[in-house]
Amino acid sequence: MSGIYIHIPFCKKACAYCDFHFSTSLQQKESLVKSILSEIDLRHHYLNDRKIDTIYFGGGTPSLLSEKETFLILEKIYKTYIVSNDAEITLECNPDDLSNEKLKELKRLEINRLSIGLQSFDDDELIWMNRAHTAKESEASVKRAQDRGFENITIDLIYGSKFSNLANWKKTLDKAIGLNVKHISSYNLTIEEKTKLGHDFKIKKEVAIDDEKSAELFLEMIDRLEKNNFIHYEISNFGKEGYFSIHNSNYWKGKHYIGFGPSAHSFDGVSRQWNVSNNSLYIKQVSEKTEAYFEKEILTEKERFNEYVLTSMRTIWGLDLNYLKTNFNSDFVKSFLNQVDTYIKLESVLRKNNIYTLTEKGKLLADKIASELFV
Ligand SMILES: C[S@@+](CC[C@H](N)C(=O)[O-])C[C@H]1O[C@@H](n2cnc3c(N)ncnc32)[C@H](O)[C@@H]1O
């Protein structure tokens, strides 16, 4: 099981909260796609001929690519890698891009999973976020996609801004459920330093909502979505049976993946590498065919252990003690067993046979608990 990620670093507008790598100038779009094609050639040995099960166009806003651009990238991938016939092929799109014409195009390209960035159903909040769509437009875009035959649709939501309260969050969740999508990713808003929100927070024009309120929204979300047959399979992700994101699940399960495009990360089981987060530099350095466009680090046993603890505990599959015992030295395992006991007693962690998962109470403190379990 291996995956391919392609980062498309362009957006129409800068969202107030987002610190992913993107540019709002589309001038370099054509040359950047050419560089991605070159990078695919340059790195064709990276996954050692492993079969590809998932392809994920992320961003930025991949729905800004023309049909030809997306086609060229997919064609290059199919020529370079062995891609399984039933591969999951996801493309992140913004509601305002999803015209009937665009959806026809995505069908022709055989994209079989759409990830639509709705974020909110409150028009005032959408304006505050600097999104390019209204709530009505986003609902209509999901319906249009379903009418065009896309059945595997996931939506992104963000909760915990100053607009969030329990009453309107319940309405948001009901609206999301009513859209009949198969998957929902819902993120607690984080205030990132190098964003408009981060700036406004620094000058005290914005305040963060308190943890207690966030926790209330999080628990409400689990309750409402689970009652509607969504399975909470990762802290921020809910899927109907058979519709978990295969691509993201593979990240959490430590499978190998290759990332193309500026800022994209790759992992081959031993090392992690990440491309430069600058479009001009990426284009220049890829054309020079040197290895200057990425940085690489070989993971130490300690780093691999901590990563496994962090990601596995956040998922429904949990942390497997047998995996720890076969892959890490006994001191690390001992340290884990010592620390985890406290959280089992506090009912934040549940042990069933050799599998450790977070309880609902534990999910509220996922990052803190993971960091206490680190070596
Ligand atoms: C980088 S975006 C790309 C997808 C798409 N272009 C969009 O904007 O909807 C990926 C997702 O990360 C989430 N996200 C980005 N920044 C965030 C933040 N500061 N706090 C919470 N969620 C965030 C959003 O839900 C977003 O849909």
Side-chain angles (χ1 to χ4, degrees):
M1 278 250 174
S2 292
I4 292 182
Y5 174 81
I6 310 107
H7 190 79
I8 306 300
F10 300 104
C11 287
K12 275 185 209 158
K13 295 173 85 178
C15 297
Y17 51 79
C18 186
D19 78 340
F20 284 60
H21 169 63
F22 67 92
S23 158
T24 49
S25 158
L26 304 192
Q27 263 176 14
Q28 289 182 309
K29 189 155 72 87
E30 210 183 310
S31 38
L32 197 124
V33 169
K34 278 193 191 139
S35 300
I36 289 178
L37 300 179
S38 305
E39 194 196 351
I40 298 174
D41 272 335
L42 284 173
R43 297 178 63 205
H44 68 282
H45 287 310
Y46 184 82
L47 292 172
N48 288 328
D49 295 333
R50 276 193 169 75
K51 202 168 188 186
I52 302 300
D53 303 286
T54 62
I55 300 174
Y56 192 104
F57 288 87
T61 314
S63 50
L64 287 178
L65 289 181
S66 67
E67 177 168 12
K68 173 130 187 264
E69 288 164 339
T70 315
F71 174 79
L72 288 173
I73 296 173
L74 283 170
E75 183 190 49
K76 182 62 118 184
I77 290 172
Y78 293 135
K79 279 189 179 156
T80 314
Y81 290 96
I82 305 160
V83 180
S84 62
N85 288 334
D86 58 350
E88 177 191 85
I89 308 175
T90 307
L91 190 127
E92 284 182 351
C93 14
N94 282 13
D96 37 298
D97 290 331
L98 289 182
S99 61
N100 271 323
E101 202 37 58
K102 187 79 197 174
L103 287 160
K104 270 194 221 164
E105 195 183 295
L106 297 174
K107 266 275 156 199
R108 283 196 292 267
L109 291 162
E110 298 183 11
I111 303 293
N112 53 31
R113 185 169 182 270
L114 295 184
S115 168
I116 310 180
L118 301 196
Q119 318 306 352
S120 161
F121 293 109
D122 175 342
D123 282 335
D124 291 330
E125 187 175 25
L126 287 167
I127 292 169
W128 176 79
M129 288 175 163
N130 200 33
R131 299 290 294 177
H133 56 96
T134 61
K136 224 176 172 179
E137 279 164 0
S138 25
E139 286 175 64
S141 75
V142 173
K143 294 214 171 75
R144 255 196 318 276
Q146 287 164 333
D147 290 345
R148 286 259 153 232
F150 286 96
E151 55 104 38
N152 193 354
I153 296 178
T154 177
I155 57 169
D156 280 355
L157 294 175
I158 295 182
Y159 64 96
S161 82
K162 65 181 178 191
F163 292 83
S164 291
N165 59 51
L166 192 58
N168 64 20
W169 184 228
K170 284 181 184 174
K171 282 191 199 153
T172 295
L173 291 166
D174 288 344
K175 264 205 174 146
I177 293 161
L179 287 175
N180 222 359
V181 291
K182 301 288 195 265
H183 187 281
I184 297 174
S185 297
S186 182
Y187 306 103
N188 193 177
L189 178 70
T190 58
I191 299 178
E192 308 294 341
E193 205 185 323
K194 289 182 187 137
T195 61
K196 174 170 188 309
L197 179 59
H199 172 263
D200 290 350
F201 178 72
K202 200 170 160 196
I203 61 169
K204 299 198 164 54
K205 207 173 137 193
E206 293 284 350
V207 287
I209 72 161
D210 59 62
D211 290 350
E212 229 169 87
K213 203 166 150 197
S214 248
E216 187 181 39
L217 301 174
F218 180 70
L219 294 177
E220 179 62 33
M221 165 170 78
I222 298 175
D223 186 50
R224 252 181 158 67
L225 294 182
E226 285 188 340
K227 277 188 183 135
N228 285 278
N229 302 322
F230 281 95
I231 303 161
H232 191 201
Y233 72 105
E234 196 270 346
I235 288 275
S236 307
N237 286 281
F238 300 81
K240 295 260 172 86
E241 182 88 53
Y243 288 94
F244 296 175
S245 160
I246 304 172
H247 186 82
N248 290 333
S249 299
N250 284 345
Y251 287 161
W252 304 320
K253 291 177 183 171
K255 307 280 183 206
H256 301 187
Y257 58 89
I258 186 165
F260 299 116
S263 83
H265 284 229
S266 307
F267 176 64
D268 64 1
V270 181
S271 67
R272 205 167 272 299
Q273 63 186 63
W274 55 97
N275 289 350
V276 60
S277 295
N278 178 305
N279 292 356
S280 303
L281 262 184
Y282 171 79
I283 292 169
K284 180 175 174 288
Q285 291 173 337
V286 167
S287 76
E288 288 164 356
K289 296 191 177 12
T290 63
E291 297 205 330
Y293 64 90
F294 65 82
E295 283 184 68
K296 180 172 176 169
E297 88 181 342
I298 309 278
L299 297 176
T300 61
E301 187 180 356
K302 188 173 151 184
E303 283 165 339
R304 281 193 297 112
F305 177 89
N306 290 345
E307 245 178 56
Y308 178 66
V309 171
L310 181 74
T311 49
S312 64
M313 296 282 286
R314 295 167 67 96
T315 69
I316 200 169
W317 304 286
L319 179 144
D320 182 350
L321 187 59
N322 288 332
Y323 181 86
L324 275 199
K325 285 181 178 163
T326 43
N327 287 280
F328 300 103
N329 78 61
S330 57
D331 286 346
F332 288 5
V333 180
K334 258 187 233 153
S335 149
F336 172 80
L337 290 172
N338 278 338
Q339 300 292 333
V340 81
D341 236 18
T342 319
Y343 292 102
I344 293 175
K345 286 190 188 116
L346 288 169
E347 295 181 352
S348 294
V349 171
L350 184 76
R351 177 181 179 172
K352 211 172 169 191
N353 301 321
N354 277 325
I355 304 292
Y356 294 80
T357 50
L358 295 172
T359 61
E360 206 148 280
K361 194 174 156 198
K363 284 174 186 170
L364 288 169
L365 300 167
D367 289 340
K368 186 182 172 288
I369 295 174
S371 69
E372 300 274 331
L373 298 174
F374 285 171
V375 287

